Amino acid sequence: MKKKIEIEIIDKKQIPETEPERQYYFMDIAKAYVAQLAEKKGAPLTFHVTTFGCQMNARDSEKLVGILERVGYVETATEEADFVIYNTCTVRENANNKVYGRLGVLQNYKKKNPHMMIGLCGCMMQEPSVVEKLKESYRFVDLVFGTHNIYKFAELLVTAMESTSMTIDIWKDTDKIVEDLPVERKYSFKSGVNIMFGCNNFCSYCIVPYVRGRERSREPKEILREIEALVADGVVEVMLLGQNVNSYGRNLEHPVTFAQLLQEIEKIEGLERIRFMTSHPKDLSDELIEVMKNSTKICKHLHLPLQSGSSRILKIMNRHYDKEHYLELVDKLRAAVPDIALTTDIIVGFPGETEEDFEETLDVVRNVRYDSAFTFIYSRRTGTPAAAMEEQIPEEIVKERFDRLLKEVQRISAEKAGVLTGQTLPVLIEEVNGQDGTLVTGRLSNNSIVHLPGTAAMIGKIYPVKLLECRGFYYVGKAEEA
Ligand code: 5AD
Ligand code: SF4
């Protein structure tokens, strides 16, 4: 049995059955427990949420923080805290290994701090083998939950606080979307907004559909209501989030396209910039390109994962487009939005990838000339069709191809950086520069970073900035009179 500081258990009567009321009820109980513990400690309880992986996880972490702050925990910058949560990723094997490694460090902190609780959540927890390993070798973890029941965090927190053993609650899937829970944004002026959850695409290398479940879209009116509230609270830029935003709305009772949703969001007064990710090439419609062309708020940046340039490999990856279709999309996008920045994801070493297949990928890279590209070594994820394929590629060959690809990607990014020098363009100021306090740092519509002289008072506002020069991958500029 675990040693734990005792709390006086609160009797629970008339627990609400509907959400989000039920979670607010549990937040009140958690708050009472946190107050009891803080009194024993003689100081407020602290927490730290560490996020691995994608923007979806970053947004989920903001929801965890929202609840923790509401129940009385105080955020701290280190993992030597009274409650540490790892919001995990499992897209590639090394993401899992990183978590196991760091859990060892947390165990040492916990030995010194009797108040400490450790929570694990996110995609990695949806893998049964991970939960088995935790139960066997990581008994000091207090709370384990997955991606489908994150909205129940307040309730799970209460269970974990009352329990002396590991609390585990993992759901296989859900069709439930709970609105109106507290969220604590990392930035005051920009925010992620989930428009859908899950993925139906089953790309043959990818574990996401297994750990995030089937695709579910939020109702447009709920999305609009959330963005309106964010704007009223000072947000000027939103990032619409989904595994495949281009298939948004298909499973709603009254189907809506992503392009239609964007047009509604565009009308929100006070909202200045709209970003979205991720776009799947197979579902990128002419309607969407037209909306992007006519919009004054949609940013001039599109992340369009290629994965491979070989039509043969794309077929085995179950991507439902070929090299020609992808290149055609890029042409259409550039014709509609001439200075759009394009970024991508590429996997090297997918099973059966030949030198010729890899050359096709290099060919697309040279042809499209991405502003930047995330390159990944193929990672064999148990349970996915690709993991069972013969012809896994030897490590030395993959590494050699990866290095060649990276070089090509970097050469092109370096050539492209700086093309806007001399222009005056709107920059959203995001923060005071970490290295030089006389500078502020912001972003252009195309997502490029700009440093310019300024003060904290400029944060969250958009200024016309003259781009004076490009240093490496960022611009140095000067704000013009508005
Ligand atoms: N191995 C390597 N990269 C992967 N990705 C997804 N699954 C794998 C895998 N098994 C990459 C894809 C995706 C990005 C988020 O992660 O490129 O677009
Ligand atoms: Fe994975 Fe493909 Fe879904 Fe993206 S679209 S999350 S790569 S299965």
Side-chain angles (χ1 to χ4, degrees), residues 199 201-203 205-206 208-209 243 280 307 319:
C199 181
N201 293 302
F202 290 95
C203 300
Y205 51 82
C206 186
V208 169
Q243 301 297 347
H280 194 310
Q307 313 300 5
R319 291 288 289 175

PDB file of all heavy atoms in Angstrom, residues 199 201-203 205-206 208-209 243 280 307 319, ligand 2:
ATOM      1  N   CYS A 199     -10.060  10.192 -35.906  1.00  0.00           N
ATOM      2  CA  CYS A 199      -9.657  10.085 -37.320  1.00  0.00           C
ATOM      3  C   CYS A 199     -10.205   8.791 -37.902  1.00  0.00           C
ATOM      4  O   CYS A 199     -10.177   7.749 -37.246  1.00  0.00           O
ATOM      5  CB  CYS A 199      -8.127  10.097 -37.420  1.00  0.00           C
ATOM      6  SG  CYS A 199      -7.574  10.003 -39.133  1.00  0.00           S
ATOM      7  N   ASN A 201      -9.174   7.739 -41.069  1.00  0.00           N
ATOM      8  CA  ASN A 201      -8.435   7.481 -42.310  1.00  0.00           C
ATOM      9  C   ASN A 201      -7.591   6.214 -42.320  1.00  0.00           C
ATOM     10  O   ASN A 201      -7.339   5.655 -43.368  1.00  0.00           O
ATOM     11  CB  ASN A 201      -7.580   8.688 -42.661  1.00  0.00           C
ATOM     12  CG  ASN A 201      -8.463   9.854 -43.023  1.00  0.00           C
ATOM     13  OD1 ASN A 201      -9.268   9.756 -43.942  1.00  0.00           O
ATOM     14  ND2 ASN A 201      -8.375  10.936 -42.273  1.00  0.00           N
ATOM     15  N   PHE A 202      -7.152   5.792 -41.171  1.00  0.00           N
ATOM     16  CA  PHE A 202      -6.362   4.562 -41.101  1.00  0.00           C
ATOM     17  C   PHE A 202      -5.238   4.518 -42.136  1.00  0.00           C
ATOM     18  O   PHE A 202      -5.137   3.570 -42.909  1.00  0.00           O
ATOM     19  CB  PHE A 202      -7.269   3.327 -41.224  1.00  0.00           C
ATOM     20  CG  PHE A 202      -8.143   3.127 -40.017  1.00  0.00           C
ATOM     21  CD1 PHE A 202      -9.441   3.621 -39.986  1.00  0.00           C
ATOM     22  CD2 PHE A 202      -7.648   2.473 -38.893  1.00  0.00           C
ATOM     23  CE1 PHE A 202     -10.232   3.464 -38.859  1.00  0.00           C
ATOM     24  CE2 PHE A 202      -8.437   2.299 -37.762  1.00  0.00           C
ATOM     25  CZ  PHE A 202      -9.738   2.799 -37.748  1.00  0.00           C
ATOM     26  N   CYS A 203      -4.420   5.543 -42.163  1.00  0.00           N
ATOM     27  CA  CYS A 203      -3.183   5.463 -42.932  1.00  0.00           C
ATOM     28  C   CYS A 203      -2.432   4.261 -42.347  1.00  0.00           C
ATOM     29  O   CYS A 203      -2.422   4.086 -41.118  1.00  0.00           O
ATOM     30  CB  CYS A 203      -2.380   6.743 -42.782  1.00  0.00           C
ATOM     31  SG  CYS A 203      -3.307   8.177 -43.369  1.00  0.00           S
ATOM     32  N   TYR A 205       0.435   3.277 -41.578  1.00  0.00           N
ATOM     33  CA  TYR A 205       1.538   3.382 -40.615  1.00  0.00           C
ATOM     34  C   TYR A 205       1.093   3.991 -39.280  1.00  0.00           C
ATOM     35  O   TYR A 205       1.839   4.011 -38.317  1.00  0.00           O
ATOM     36  CB  TYR A 205       2.643   4.301 -41.188  1.00  0.00           C
ATOM     37  CG  TYR A 205       2.081   5.628 -41.681  1.00  0.00           C
ATOM     38  CD1 TYR A 205       1.826   6.663 -40.810  1.00  0.00           C
ATOM     39  CD2 TYR A 205       1.744   5.796 -43.027  1.00  0.00           C
ATOM     40  CE1 TYR A 205       1.256   7.842 -41.250  1.00  0.00           C
ATOM     41  CE2 TYR A 205       1.186   6.977 -43.473  1.00  0.00           C
ATOM     42  CZ  TYR A 205       0.931   8.003 -42.585  1.00  0.00           C
ATOM     43  OH  TYR A 205       0.352   9.154 -43.007  1.00  0.00           O
ATOM     44  N   CYS A 206      -0.140   4.509 -39.216  1.00  0.00           N
ATOM     45  CA  CYS A 206      -0.488   5.458 -38.154  1.00  0.00           C
ATOM     46  C   CYS A 206      -1.346   4.860 -37.043  1.00  0.00           C
ATOM     47  O   CYS A 206      -2.348   4.183 -37.297  1.00  0.00           O
ATOM     48  CB  CYS A 206      -1.204   6.657 -38.773  1.00  0.00           C
ATOM     49  SG  CYS A 206      -1.528   7.957 -37.578  1.00  0.00           S
ATOM     50  N   VAL A 208      -2.867   6.748 -34.723  1.00  0.00           N
ATOM     51  CA  VAL A 208      -3.837   7.732 -34.226  1.00  0.00           C
ATOM     52  C   VAL A 208      -5.299   7.246 -34.247  1.00  0.00           C
ATOM     53  O   VAL A 208      -6.015   7.394 -33.251  1.00  0.00           O
ATOM     54  CB  VAL A 208      -3.685   9.087 -34.964  1.00  0.00           C
ATOM     55  CG1 VAL A 208      -4.842  10.025 -34.665  1.00  0.00           C
ATOM     56  CG2 VAL A 208      -2.371   9.744 -34.563  1.00  0.00           C
ATOM     57  N   PRO A 209      -5.783   6.640 -35.341  1.00  0.00           N
ATOM     58  CA  PRO A 209      -7.190   6.198 -35.326  1.00  0.00           C
ATOM     59  C   PRO A 209      -7.478   5.197 -34.203  1.00  0.00           C
ATOM     60  O   PRO A 209      -8.604   5.122 -33.718  1.00  0.00           O
ATOM     61  CB  PRO A 209      -7.376   5.541 -36.697  1.00  0.00           C
ATOM     62  CG  PRO A 209      -6.336   6.170 -37.557  1.00  0.00           C
ATOM     63  CD  PRO A 209      -5.159   6.407 -36.657  1.00  0.00           C
ATOM     64  N   GLN A 243      -7.653  16.135 -36.779  1.00  0.00           N
ATOM     65  CA  GLN A 243      -6.681  15.274 -37.476  1.00  0.00           C
ATOM     66  C   GLN A 243      -6.809  15.443 -38.976  1.00  0.00           C
ATOM     67  O   GLN A 243      -5.856  15.279 -39.721  1.00  0.00           O
ATOM     68  CB  GLN A 243      -6.885  13.797 -37.121  1.00  0.00           C
ATOM     69  CG  GLN A 243      -6.767  13.481 -35.647  1.00  0.00           C
ATOM     70  CD  GLN A 243      -5.394  13.754 -35.085  1.00  0.00           C
ATOM     71  OE1 GLN A 243      -4.434  13.956 -35.819  1.00  0.00           O
ATOM     72  NE2 GLN A 243      -5.287  13.790 -33.780  1.00  0.00           N
ATOM     73  N   HIS A 280      -5.767  17.021 -44.916  1.00  0.00           N
ATOM     74  CA  HIS A 280      -5.420  15.804 -45.653  1.00  0.00           C
ATOM     75  C   HIS A 280      -5.608  16.097 -47.144  1.00  0.00           C
ATOM     76  O   HIS A 280      -6.679  16.527 -47.548  1.00  0.00           O
ATOM     77  CB  HIS A 280      -6.333  14.658 -45.221  1.00  0.00           C
ATOM     78  CG  HIS A 280      -5.862  13.304 -45.663  1.00  0.00           C
ATOM     79  ND1 HIS A 280      -5.498  13.036 -46.968  1.00  0.00           N
ATOM     80  CD2 HIS A 280      -5.677  12.150 -44.978  1.00  0.00           C
ATOM     81  CE1 HIS A 280      -5.120  11.764 -47.060  1.00  0.00           C
ATOM     82  NE2 HIS A 280      -5.211  11.220 -45.863  1.00  0.00           N
ATOM     83  N   GLN A 307       3.813  12.844 -46.839  1.00  0.00           N
ATOM     84  CA  GLN A 307       4.183  11.500 -46.340  1.00  0.00           C
ATOM     85  C   GLN A 307       5.140  10.784 -47.287  1.00  0.00           C
ATOM     86  O   GLN A 307       6.179  10.304 -46.859  1.00  0.00           O
ATOM     87  CB  GLN A 307       2.963  10.616 -46.027  1.00  0.00           C
ATOM     88  CG  GLN A 307       1.863  11.276 -45.206  1.00  0.00           C
ATOM     89  CD  GLN A 307       2.275  11.776 -43.827  1.00  0.00           C
ATOM     90  OE1 GLN A 307       3.439  11.731 -43.465  1.00  0.00           O
ATOM     91  NE2 GLN A 307       1.334  12.298 -43.063  1.00  0.00           N
ATOM     92  N   ARG A 319      -3.269   6.383 -48.473  1.00  0.00           N
ATOM     93  CA  ARG A 319      -3.457   7.831 -48.415  1.00  0.00           C
ATOM     94  C   ARG A 319      -4.518   8.346 -49.394  1.00  0.00           C
ATOM     95  O   ARG A 319      -4.944   9.507 -49.308  1.00  0.00           O
ATOM     96  CB  ARG A 319      -2.117   8.548 -48.668  1.00  0.00           C
ATOM     97  CG  ARG A 319      -1.110   8.373 -47.540  1.00  0.00           C
ATOM     98  CD  ARG A 319      -1.463   9.149 -46.302  1.00  0.00           C
ATOM     99  NE  ARG A 319      -1.292  10.585 -46.469  1.00  0.00           N
ATOM    100  CZ  ARG A 319      -1.623  11.488 -45.547  1.00  0.00           C
ATOM    101  NH1 ARG A 319      -2.164  11.099 -44.394  1.00  0.00           N
ATOM    102  NH2 ARG A 319      -1.441  12.764 -45.763  1.00  0.00           N
TER     103      ARG A 319
HETATM  104 FE1  SF4 B   2      -2.840   9.310 -38.865  1.00  0.00          FE
HETATM  105 FE2  SF4 B   2      -3.581   9.415 -41.416  1.00  0.00          FE
HETATM  106 FE3  SF4 B   2      -5.367  10.030 -39.479  1.00  0.00          FE
HETATM  107 FE4  SF4 B   2      -3.314  11.699 -39.975  1.00  0.00          FE
HETATM  108  S1  SF4 B   2      -4.984  11.176 -41.409  1.00  0.00           S
HETATM  109  S2  SF4 B   2      -4.018  11.003 -37.955  1.00  0.00           S
HETATM  110  S3  SF4 B   2      -1.656  10.280 -40.542  1.00  0.00           S
HETATM  111  S4  SF4 B   2      -4.430   8.029 -39.867  1.00  0.00           S
END
